[in-house]
Amino acid sequence: KEMYRFCATMTTPRTAASVQAKSCMRRLMPYSKKCVQQQNRTKVSKTYSGAKTRHRPMVRLSSQPREKFKGKRIGNPFPIYPHEVSDQMIVSDPTICVPIYARTGIVPEAGKDVKIFDIDGCDKDRIKRIREACRLAKRVLNAACDFAAPGISTDDIDVFVHHLITEAGGYPSPLNYHGYPKSVCCSVNEVACHGIPDKRPLQDGDVLSIDVASYLNGFHGDTCATVIIDGGFEDHELFERASHLVSSAKEALSAGIEVCRPGGCLSDIGEAVHAVADARGLQSVRDGGGHGIHSHLHCAPLVKHFRNRDKIELLPGMIFTIEPILTEGHFALNTWKNGWTCATIDFGLTAQFEETVLVTNDGVDVFTLE
């Protein structure tokens, strides 16, 4: 999922900003090479009707967009919609180590090669620092899950997470990553991932996924969990649906971790997750997936959570996340106009759990366990 603040054909932010189409800027459209005319690099299409065909979408849409979906709408009759979003916070403490994108929103290329750490040699200190970043993310995630309650907005959770991470000397990894405006992702009900925190108060029965990532001492840690907002639960049917979904997503994560071992195959993870989803009568979301993580928040390998043919051998020293998203309906997603938030096309509820793992010489080490 690539998104650019500046034109891919330009070398400096200042030069790139001068050729940005205002209509595309308002719609948070990313740049592409076709955005700049061949005759004059300082001219671009000034109307959206002319520019929309010159940009690729921020997030890849599923093969079945909503207008082509013929299935039954199974979710909430009153789906989630965008609410007021507060101003973006900043990390001004000069003692905190911040990632390179913290000021500009420009994320450097991570490369296509999978990073293999030397477990028993020179990378011991780096692995230790990644583990510390992961444990910080997990502590903050647990606190955020406890903080979530009816009447609390996801914007309140964002402020809560931001302060917890910065007080611990870390930086909230999502903040300004490719321009993302918040310090945490909060996805409610049919929103599968990348939900931008806003002023909407949480309600009894909401299914909330909180994705926390922290940057500490030069490395990232990433984790996620889903909670059910319990304010008494007058709708017992909804509670049973939500509980079944959340427990299944947690089981799918455990199944994916169990098959991680040296000499195994990356596709074993997708097979294990998909098998749990099938057994529970659910679907595993195809868009997105787990990812490598170290000094880059997202890098190779891409970990798919459905049956696939990615024949990549798991080797000692690989560090990546496993983060399946299960849904009670169709697995296809549509992306909101903000370019980030992805929701199910039939408004079915979703749940996600995530851990960061290291493949060791004899198995797997889960970094995001306290």
Side-chain angles (χ1 to χ4, degrees), residues 74-76 235-246 328 347-349:
I74 65 171
N76 193 331
D235 190 341
H236 296 289
E237 180 183 353
L238 174 61
F239 176 75
E240 291 178 359
R241 283 171 50 201
S243 298
H244 173 71
L245 178 64
V246 171
E328 60 182 354
F347 305 98
L349 298 177

Side-chain angles (χ1 to χ4, degrees), residues 10-323:
M10 296 298 178
T11 57
T12 64
R14 181 182 62 79
T15 305
S18 66
V19 299
Q20 185 175 13
K22 291 183 179 180
S23 56
C24 301
M25 187 176 180
R26 288 195 299 269
R27 292 167 175 80
L28 298 179
M29 296 289 286
Y31 283 105
S32 68
K33 291 183 179 180
K34 293 182 181 179
C35 180
V36 182
Q37 294 182 359
Q38 296 294 329
Q39 299 87 348
N40 189 340
R41 284 194 167 193
T42 63
K43 292 182 180 181
V44 293
S45 187
K46 295 183 179 180
T47 62
Y48 178 62
S49 59
K52 65 182 180 180
T53 59
R54 298 190 177 120
H55 294 278
R56 61 180 179 80
M58 278 179 155
V59 181
R60 181 178 61 85
L61 293 179
S62 297
S63 58
Q64 286 192 323
R66 181 172 298 164
E67 60 269 21
K68 294 182 180 179
F69 181 65
K70 303 299 183 181
K72 180 181 179 182
R73 175 171 169 163
I74 65 171
N76 193 331
F78 304 101
I80 300 296
Y81 62 91
H83 284 64
E84 179 186 356
V85 177
S86 63
D87 294 336
Q88 179 175 319
M89 293 182 288
I90 61 173
V91 177
S92 56
D93 189 343
T95 64
I96 293 178
C97 176
V98 301
I100 193 171
Y101 58 81
R103 302 288 181 256
T104 65
I106 303 174
V107 180
E109 291 289 337
K112 297 181 179 180
D113 296 332
V114 179
K115 173 70 173 177
I116 306 295
F117 288 87
D118 185 357
I119 298 177
D120 301 318
C122 61
D123 289 330
K124 280 186 176 181
D125 180 65
R126 294 185 181 91
I127 292 174
K128 179 182 177 181
R129 285 189 283 167
I130 297 174
R131 188 192 303 273
E132 291 172 350
C134 289
R135 287 181 173 175
L136 172 59
K138 191 66 170 186
R139 290 197 302 271
V140 173
L141 174 65
N142 290 340
C145 290
D146 293 338
F147 179 70
I152 298 293
S153 70
T154 51
D155 187 72
D156 295 332
I157 296 175
D158 176 69
V159 174
F160 181 76
V161 167
H162 182 93
H163 288 310
L164 283 183
I165 293 178
T166 54
E167 287 172 2
Y171 179 91
S173 299
L175 184 60
N176 211 26
Y177 183 83
H178 284 304
Y180 184 79
K182 292 296 182 178
S183 299
V184 67
C185 295
C186 293
S187 304
V188 183
N189 294 342
E190 71 270 12
V191 175
C193 59
H194 303 158
I196 297 178
D198 56 29
K199 297 291 187 179
R200 175 189 179 273
L202 293 172
Q203 303 173 8
D204 179 36
D206 279 345
V207 179
L208 171 66
S209 297
I210 304 176
D211 193 339
V212 176
S214 63
Y215 184 78
L216 184 67
N217 298 325
F219 292 93
H220 296 276
D222 196 2
T223 186
C224 176
T226 300
V227 295
I228 304 172
I229 305 302
D230 188 354
F233 268 106
E234 296 180 359
D235 190 341
H236 296 289
E237 180 183 353
L238 174 61
F239 176 75
E240 291 178 359
R241 283 171 50 201
S243 298
H244 173 71
L245 178 64
V246 171
S247 63
S248 300
K250 197 168 186 177
E251 181 182 341
L253 172 62
S254 299
I257 294 174
E258 287 177 2
V259 298
C260 290
R261 62 187 184 280
C265 186
L266 189 67
S267 60
D268 294 341
I269 299 173
E271 174 66 34
V273 170
H274 207 140
V276 172
D278 288 344
R280 293 298 196 102
L282 302 170
Q283 292 280 332
S284 179
V285 169
R286 306 309 200 251
D287 294 342
H291 50 86
I293 183 170
H294 41 82
S295 57
H296 291 275
L297 179 57
H298 295 101
C299 56
L302 171 64
V303 183
K304 297 176 182 177
H305 301 120
F306 55 94
R307 293 186 180 95
N308 62 87
R309 298 180 180 179
D310 292 347
K311 302 303 180 183
I312 300 176
E313 183 182 2
L314 297 179
L315 300 173
M318 282 186 176
I319 299 177
F320 51 83
T321 68
I322 303 175
E323 45 185 298

